[in-house]
Amino acid sequence: MESIVLFGPPGAGKGTQAQRIMDSTGLPQVSTGDMLRAAVAAGTTTGIEAKKFMDAGKLVPDEVIIALICDRIQDPDATNGVMFDGFPRTIPQAEALSKITEVSHVIAIDVPDERIVERICGRYTCGNCSSVYHDTFNPTTKDGFCDNCDSTEFKRRADDNADTVLSRLSAYHEQTSPLAKWYIERGIFHQIDGDRAIDEITTDILSALK
Ligand code: AP5
């Protein structure tokens, strides 16, 4: 099986693009952020441990993340590979991943830091289907109704505030961006300019995946 990795800073548009390219790739989205938020909401031991790190904008320890991924990859829908969103984020996570699945493409969505805070602070998601929106850049077409499922329930993330975003950006630059070199050396790294219209980015990602 071959998997894809969506790589980039917080708020780069990984989740937005994952939802748009799922149909074309046929691969399920595996977001470690979504899995951790589900664990926090369920009050599991993993969730209680992870919440301290997430609230502070820090990375959750590698062993917690790797255990989550090793479990998820056993699910029947992962047989033909998956689309990782927000994983791996450290060299140890990438090394662990290389032992459990082949990665064919790493799609790096590149967005300058100065755009990140405005993107994250305006984000909201559908409470039913998790479609991602933005107050200014990507609002729902019909005011108050999700474009995808017509739900009227929306939520905002606890860690989507200006202070936590700065910590998340520091964690990205210190711990995650070194992974780019690791994947460039393996010849599977594709850099995409993420500071453009959402549709243009989707088109470029689909071309890179051909
Ligand atoms: P996670 O949930 O993965 O958050 P993140 O990486 O910080 O990424 P985001 O979900 O914030 O952004 P995104 O790139 O998906 O952007 P989106 O499409 O939503 O992780 C949360 C926390 O969990 C971490 O801080 C850490 O503590 C922990 N964690 C998770 N994985 C981990 C791991 N592997 N190891 C350790 N810890 C881990 O878009 C953002 C906004 O911009 C939206 O409003 C969207 O509508 C808008 N937008 C998107 N594209 C565009 C565009 N082209 N133009 C304008 N606006 C756009």
Side-chain angles (χ1 to χ4, degrees), residues 8-17 31-34 36-37 53-54 57-60 65 85-89 93 119-120 122-124 132-134 137-138 157 159-160 168 194 196-198 201:
K14 303 181 292 295
T16 300
Q17 296 298 334
S31 157
T32 38
D34 286 348
L36 290 167
R37 280 183 288 280
F53 294 93
M54 296 169 81
K58 294 185 173 162
L59 293 188
V60 173
I65 299 292
D85 164 4
F87 173 87
R89 268 167 143 112
Q93 290 181 21
R119 280 202 187 181
I120 284 187
R123 169 169 48 195
Y124 59 99
V132 186
Y133 298 99
H134 189 280
F137 306 136
N138 183 29
R157 277 169 45 179
D159 59 345
D160 278 357
R168 285 159 64 190
R196 292 177 298 156
I198 292 173
I201 299 165

Side-chain angles (χ1 to χ4, degrees), residues 24-145:
S24 311
T25 61
L27 300 175
Q29 175 188 9
V30 171
S31 157
T32 38
D34 286 348
M35 291 163 79
L36 290 167
R37 280 183 288 280
V40 171
T44 63
T45 314
T46 298
I48 292 165
E49 169 73 1
K51 188 173 187 307
K52 293 179 280 186
F53 294 93
M54 296 169 81
D55 286 349
K58 294 185 173 162
L59 293 188
V60 173
D62 287 335
E63 59 273 21
V64 175
I65 299 292
I66 292 166
L68 277 179
I69 290 293
C70 286
D71 266 7
R72 177 65 181 86
I73 211 88
Q74 305 298 327
D75 290 346
D77 69 340
T79 309
N80 296 319
V82 303
M83 182 166 37
F84 291 107
D85 164 4
F87 173 87
R89 268 167 143 112
T90 62
I91 303 269
Q93 290 181 21
E95 284 169 345
L97 179 61
S98 69
K99 293 182 187 133
I100 53 176
T101 183
E102 182 112 359
V103 173
S104 62
H105 296 78
V106 175
I107 303 291
I109 306 177
D110 190 29
V111 177
D113 284 6
E114 56 270 23
R115 288 265 184 270
I116 297 295
V117 177
E118 59 184 4
R119 280 202 187 181
I120 284 187
C121 293
R123 169 169 48 195
Y124 59 99
T125 55
C126 173
N128 179 48
C129 72
S130 301
S131 291
V132 186
Y133 298 99
H134 189 280
D135 292 326
T136 314
F137 306 136
N138 183 29
T140 54
T141 313
K142 205 162 73 169
D143 200 17
F145 293 87

Side-chain angles (χ1 to χ4, degrees), residues 117-202:
V117 177
E118 59 184 4
R119 280 202 187 181
I120 284 187
C121 293
R123 169 169 48 195
Y124 59 99
T125 55
C126 173
N128 179 48
C129 72
S130 301
S131 291
V132 186
Y133 298 99
H134 189 280
D135 292 326
T136 314
F137 306 136
N138 183 29
T140 54
T141 313
K142 205 162 73 169
D143 200 17
F145 293 87
C146 174
D147 293 351
N148 185 45
C149 72
D150 266 350
S151 168
T152 53
E153 304 266 323
F154 295 95
K155 19 180 220 193
R156 291 187 191 259
R157 277 169 45 179
D159 59 345
D160 278 357
N161 58 73
D163 287 344
T164 311
V165 172
L166 295 180
S167 305
R168 285 159 64 190
L169 268 174
S170 297
Y172 174 76
H173 288 300
E174 285 163 25
Q175 293 167 274
T176 305
S177 58
L179 257 184
K181 184 167 174 277
W182 204 83
Y183 280 122
I184 289 166
E185 284 166 4
R186 284 154 182 78
I188 55 172
F189 190 83
H190 303 261
Q191 185 140 336
I192 307 281
D193 176 4
D195 192 13
R196 292 177 298 156
I198 292 173
D199 284 346
E200 287 176 38
I201 299 165
T202 308

